[in-house]
């Protein structure tokens, strides 16, 4: 048998066809796959449904993004509904301003009594007692 460096294309073709056996005792085919292999393109079959696969992956990504947005909106709504003292209570300075604005005077009491529509002769209300 000639050395590989001395072979021309015709000799290599004859060698592949003449029955030089591979390491497993199977005849190699020109494309590198054994003749008895059921589908020589099996490793590329995923490409057959590549568009469907891409669509499914895109749908899953959109669904995941939608769920993340909904979850964030839910957390934001909870933050708004919850009572957070630092955020919801007035500061000490605001309370002091409100207290400074208050005053106690009896000057308005007589005017309030004159404008009142309550019955001054009514009995005092006691819960649970029927009159």
């Amino acid at each position: 048998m000639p050395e590989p460096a001395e072979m021309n294309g015709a000799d290599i073709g004859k060698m592949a066809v003449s029955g030089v056996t591979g390491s497993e005792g199977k005849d190699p085919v020109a494309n590198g796959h054994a003749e008895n292999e059921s589908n020589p393109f099996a490793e590329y079959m995923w490409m057959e449904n590549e568009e469907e696969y891409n669509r499914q992956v895109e749908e899953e990504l959109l669904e995941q993004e939608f769920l993340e947005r909904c979850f964030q909106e839910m957390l934001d709504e909870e933050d708004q509904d919850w009572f957070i003292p630092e955020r919801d209570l007035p500061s000490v300075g605001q309370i002091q301003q409100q207290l400074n604005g208050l005053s106690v005077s009896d000057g308005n009491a007589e005017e309030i009594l004159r404008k009142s529509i309550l019955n001054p002769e009514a009995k005092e209300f006691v819960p649970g007692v029927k009159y």
Side-chain angles (χ1 to χ4, degrees):
M1 183 180 311
E3 291 294 318
E6 299 171 355
M7 291 185 186
N8 62 22
D11 291 334
I12 293 174
K14 288 178 189 174
M15 186 174 129
V17 174
S18 68
V20 174
T21 59
S23 62
E24 294 132 17
K26 299 178 183 174
D27 291 336
V29 181
N31 66 4
H33 294 280
E35 287 183 27
N36 61 355
E37 189 174 324
S38 63
N39 186 356
F41 300 105
E43 63 184 288
Y44 303 106
M45 290 306 291
W46 66 271
M47 291 180 179
E48 179 181 14
N49 299 323
E50 184 177 11
E51 291 175 4
E52 177 68 22
Y53 175 78
N54 287 343
R55 187 187 60 75
Q56 287 177 347
V57 169
E58 186 176 349
E59 283 179 8
E60 289 174 8
L61 291 173
L62 290 173
E63 183 178 347
Q64 182 179 5
E65 180 183 335
F66 175 74
L67 289 174
E68 288 174 2
R69 277 193 318 231
C70 288
F71 189 71
Q72 187 61 43
E73 286 179 20
M74 181 185 68
L75 290 175
D76 293 343
E77 287 176 6
E78 282 184 359
D79 284 346
Q80 291 173 358
D81 292 342
W82 286 9
F83 175 74
I84 302 173
E86 295 85 20
R87 179 189 72 193
D88 298 332
L89 288 178
S91 68
V92 175
Q94 291 172 328
I95 293 174
Q96 285 178 343
Q97 283 180 336
Q98 291 174 352
L99 289 175
N100 290 339
L102 296 177
S103 65
V104 178
S105 67
D106 290 332
N108 290 342
E110 292 177 15
E111 183 179 332
I112 292 173
L113 287 174
R114 245 185 300 121
K115 292 180 179 178
S116 175
I117 57 171
L118 297 175
N119 182 0
E121 305 298 323
K123 294 182 184 179
E124 183 179 348
F125 173 75
V126 179
V129 176
K130 297 194 179 208
Y131 297 101

